[in-house]
Amino acid sequence: MLHFEINEFDSPDEIGSGKRMQDSTLQMLDDARSIAGIPFRINSGFRTKEHNAYVGGAKYSSHCYGYAIDIHCTDSRSRSIIIDSLHKAGFNRIGVGKTFIHADNDPEKDANVVWLY
């Protein structure tokens, strides 16, 4: 990974858990960061089931399987750039919140979807 350190993806309750991220997800994210040309700050990567429950994540959250990331974002211009780069890098599951963008490539879930939080 050129743009990230693996510990950026650690669940807060398990040091080193970022290593449980899927290689495909990390490669696509790194590609998206190159395309965007702006920094990405990772809010959430891998989550233990306990941490996922603590933050109110979905029962079968893609974060728990290493397929999902949340990127910090609070302005519309960056949001547009990040979403465009995620699509170009191959992410086809994107959720948009007020302060973050969720992206995942979970093969067990419906593709080509965008949702709001």
Side-chain angles (χ1 to χ4, degrees):
M1 290 187 303
L2 299 173
H3 297 101
F4 303 98
E5 298 290 330
I6 197 67
N7 65 351
E8 292 180 70
F9 303 96
D10 284 358
S11 186
D13 60 338
E14 186 179 317
I15 294 172
S17 59
K19 293 178 183 175
R20 295 166 64 183
M21 290 293 295
Q22 298 293 325
D23 290 339
S24 61
T25 306
L26 294 176
Q27 184 59 59
M28 289 168 62
L29 181 63
D30 203 50
D31 291 348
R33 170 57 184 84
S34 290
I35 292 165
I38 61 172
F40 286 10
R41 189 173 96 203
I42 305 303
N43 284 353
S44 183
F46 180 80
R47 292 182 192 160
T48 62
K49 292 195 184 301
E50 295 79 14
H51 183 68
N52 188 61
Y54 175 76
V55 298
K59 184 175 181 179
Y60 297 105
S61 172
S62 298
H63 286 278
C64 297
Y65 304 96
Y67 285 109
I69 45 87
D70 291 346
I71 303 164
H72 178 80
C73 185
T74 58
D75 67 274
S76 59
R77 183 167 185 76
S78 296
R79 190 173 294 114
S80 177
I81 292 168
I82 292 169
I83 290 171
D84 182 57
S85 72
L86 291 167
H87 276 285
K88 287 179 179 173
F91 284 102
N92 60 15
R93 295 180 43 78
I94 295 178
V96 181
K98 190 171 186 175
T99 61
F100 70 97
I101 298 167
H102 168 99
D104 76 65
N105 64 323
D106 191 329
E108 299 298 316
K109 297 189 175 168
D110 289 339
N112 303 316
V113 294
V114 175
W115 64 91
L116 301 174
Y117 288 95

